[in-house]
Amino acid sequence: MLQYDLVVVGGGPAGLAAAIEANKNGMKRIIVIERERELGGILQQCIHSGFGLHIFQKELTGPEYASRFIDQLQALEIEYKLNTMVVDILPDKSLHVVNSQDGFLIIQAKAIILAMGCRERTREAISIPGRRPAGIFTAGTAQRYINIQGYMPGEKVVIVGSGDIGLIMARRMMLEGAEVLAVVEIMPFPGGTNRNIVQCLDDFHIPLLLQHMVTDILGKARVEGVVVAQVDEDRKPIPGTERIYSCDTLLLSVGLIPENELSGKAGIVLDRITRGPVVNEAMETSVEGIFACGNAVHVHDLVDFATEEGRRAGRNAAKYVNGELKRGANSIKIEPGWGIQYIVPHIMELGNAATLFLRVDNIYHDVNLVVKYDGEILKSLKKEYMAPGNMEQLVLDGDDLKEKKPSVLTVEVEKRNAK
């Protein structure tokens, strides 16, 4: 059995940042376990620019961003294992690990940080009818084929879903010479950020079909086309609005889900909306000594935010191992109010500072974002525009909840003309 102070599961940006921050806070016996053949996570296939503006005040590509943290990790001589899978986490914080070089390993940790990232929803998640011909890919798979393996998935493309990966792949396919016929979105608003709507669709004159869905996939051996129809308020196809798009490729960008199998095996309570662990402001889960960060908790718009969460998890994991982390004395619940999908963290200690990440459930103009504690308004922020594709942040310092009794904190959307 191998002994470590900290085991970080996942070598993407959040996991690397967590390991580095833990080391800077005095932890030396650290190991990062990564199932892929290289560190960096999904960033290695994200060759477009736009990363690092918050952390480095510089626009970097995904591999450039990842390399900065990989270089730091190696300079600090933090141990890591590649091509290695964690298959189980036991209540005593021991991990069952396998790889082709060492075989089966048991690693005993004093603290664990879960940073496994997220996975894409598949065709089965949205139940598109039709055959199963070649030419149907998730957007992330297509991205890896093009950017890592040099393989072009197709020439005439329809994209289902307007998540950021799908928008970025619409641009990427066009740049590689493919024709993107349309991006089809069932909701009345796009799922990606405004920046990607403009840079990836508008700049390339790719139509975005809101309140539309693919109702059938045509073709037997290979995709030959898709049937697209408008939907009503209940997201049901409207008869007579069908249109056939002749194409050879269908990309799916229909949402991301935190990798949560290990979280579930560890007995961690999961949020029913995000599908990631319930965490407090220290990024500690419901299981003492197990922390989580990045897209393993909830899906982020910016890698910079996932990095900041990783740093917070690493810093607090070091405090936990050193017996310095205060928890559970005066904890309060943080709950989404009207207009809010979810809020992370879910719990916090009175008197502690916390950065709240949240998403709204619709597009809102000229509203207030209101923070209430036990029904009393703590702060109200004017918002000209909010959308589900854009994550919002709220910073609470220790004084915001000073000398309060344990209760419930809520965040809600309030119309400006509301009394």
Side-chain angles (χ1 to χ4, degrees):
M1 181 181 290
L2 303 178
Q3 302 279 346
Y4 288 90
D5 290 334
L6 174 65
V7 176
V8 180
V9 184
L16 295 175
I20 292 167
E21 190 70 14
N23 178 275
K24 290 179 178 179
N25 281 267
M27 298 185 75
K28 300 303 178 186
R29 294 175 58 82
I30 303 171
I31 186 170
V32 177
I33 299 175
E34 170 56 50
R35 67 183 178 185
E36 297 293 341
R37 63 185 180 183
E38 59 193 0
L39 295 171
I42 197 68
L43 288 179
Q44 297 293 8
Q45 69 185 53
C46 299
I47 64 174
H48 53 280
S49 61
F51 301 94
L53 290 172
H54 291 262
I55 298 293
F56 298 112
Q57 289 76 52
K58 188 175 182 180
E59 195 168 6
L60 305 170
T61 65
E64 288 174 331
Y65 188 99
S67 69
R68 295 199 174 198
F69 288 93
I70 294 170
D71 291 345
Q72 288 183 56
L73 190 87
Q74 293 173 339
L76 294 170
E77 297 183 346
I78 297 174
E79 188 177 347
Y80 60 90
K81 285 185 178 293
L82 303 176
N83 296 307
T84 303
M85 286 285 294
V86 176
V87 296
D88 208 356
I89 298 176
L90 302 184
D92 64 351
K93 299 187 189 66
S94 62
L95 301 90
H96 291 176
V97 178
V98 293
N99 63 33
S100 59
Q101 182 176 352
D102 303 307
F104 178 80
L105 297 172
I106 299 177
I107 300 177
Q108 182 64 57
K110 294 180 180 178
I112 299 171
I113 295 178
L114 303 177
M116 299 86 66
C118 58
R119 65 178 185 270
E120 295 179 278
R121 294 182 187 271
T122 62
R123 174 184 175 180
E124 286 71 21
I126 56 173
S127 303
I128 298 178
R131 297 177 180 267
R132 297 173 61 86
I136 304 173
F137 306 90
T138 62
T141 298
Q143 185 182 59
R144 186 169 187 87
Y145 279 155
I146 294 176
N147 295 345
I148 300 293
Q149 299 175 348
Y151 171 76
M152 191 67 178
E155 297 178 354
K156 295 186 71 176
V157 184
V158 171
I159 297 176
V160 176
S162 58
D164 285 317
I165 299 177
L167 300 177
I168 289 166
M169 282 309 297
R171 175 179 63 185
R172 189 78 179 99
M173 297 292 284
M174 292 284 286
L175 290 173
E176 288 298 327
E179 181 183 2
V180 179
L181 304 177
V183 174
V184 181
E185 172 58 59
I186 194 170
M187 300 299 287
F189 47 79
T193 60
N194 294 337
R195 179 186 67 182
N196 283 331
I197 294 292
V198 173
Q199 295 180 355
C200 300
L201 297 189
D202 295 350
D203 289 355
F204 290 84
H205 307 291
I206 299 171
L208 171 61
L209 307 180
L210 298 176
Q211 292 185 283
H212 284 71
M213 69 180 294
V214 171
T215 60
D216 200 3
I217 299 174
L218 309 177
K220 186 174 182 180
R222 175 84 191 194
V223 172
E224 296 176 4
V226 296
V227 179
V228 177
Q230 283 183 281
V231 299
D232 58 23
E233 292 181 354
D234 296 322
R235 302 177 201 169
K236 303 294 184 184
I238 300 174
T241 63
E242 296 87 354
R243 178 180 174 184
I244 295 176
Y245 286 80
S246 297
C247 60
D248 61 14
T249 305
L250 182 67
L251 299 188
L252 305 178
S253 177
V254 292
L256 301 168
I257 307 172
E259 288 281 8
N260 56 20
E261 286 82 1
L262 284 177
S263 303
K265 285 184 175 182
I268 293 168
V269 176
L270 302 180
D271 183 298
R272 64 180 184 86
I273 301 298
T274 65
R275 306 285 294 276
V278 170
V279 295
N280 61 20
E281 83 282 4
M283 305 310 296
E284 188 177 26
T285 69
S286 60
V287 177
E288 183 177 332
I290 300 183
F291 299 76
C293 58
N295 285 353
V297 178
H298 63 122
V299 178
H300 294 67
D301 300 337
L302 300 177
V303 67
D304 306 74
F305 295 160
T307 298
E308 289 293 353
E309 275 191 357
R311 286 174 172 172
R312 194 178 312 137
R315 186 164 54 249
N316 286 297
K319 288 182 179 180
Y320 172 80
V321 172
N322 293 329
E324 300 170 355
L325 185 63
K326 298 178 181 179
R327 65 190 304 278
N330 291 292
S331 61
I332 62 170
K333 291 183 178 180
I334 304 172
E335 296 182 349
W338 189 86
I340 306 297
Q341 285 189 56
Y342 73 82
I343 305 175
V344 174
H346 310 78
I347 305 165
M348 67 178 291
E349 289 291 306
L350 284 173
N352 286 354
T355 299
L356 308 184
F357 289 102
L358 58 97
R359 289 188 190 275
V360 293
D361 61 6
N362 210 327
I363 290 180
Y364 295 100
H365 296 275
D366 301 321
V367 295
N368 296 324
L369 197 57
V370 179
V371 181
K372 293 182 178 180
Y373 189 74
D374 198 19
E376 175 189 348
I377 296 177
L378 290 182
K379 58 174 59 179
S380 179
L381 305 175
K382 290 184 178 181
K383 292 288 182 178
E384 302 302 323
Y385 175 83
M386 292 191 294
N390 300 318
M391 185 177 291
E392 300 290 334
Q393 284 190 80
L394 279 172
V395 177
L396 299 177
D397 58 38
D399 292 335
D400 288 326
L401 297 170
K402 192 175 182 181
E403 298 180 356
K404 297 284 186 180
K405 295 180 179 180
S407 186
V408 177
L409 183 144
T410 60
V411 182
E412 60 187 52
V413 177
E414 181 182 80
K415 294 181 180 179
R416 293 272 177 90
N417 58 0
K419 294 183 180 179

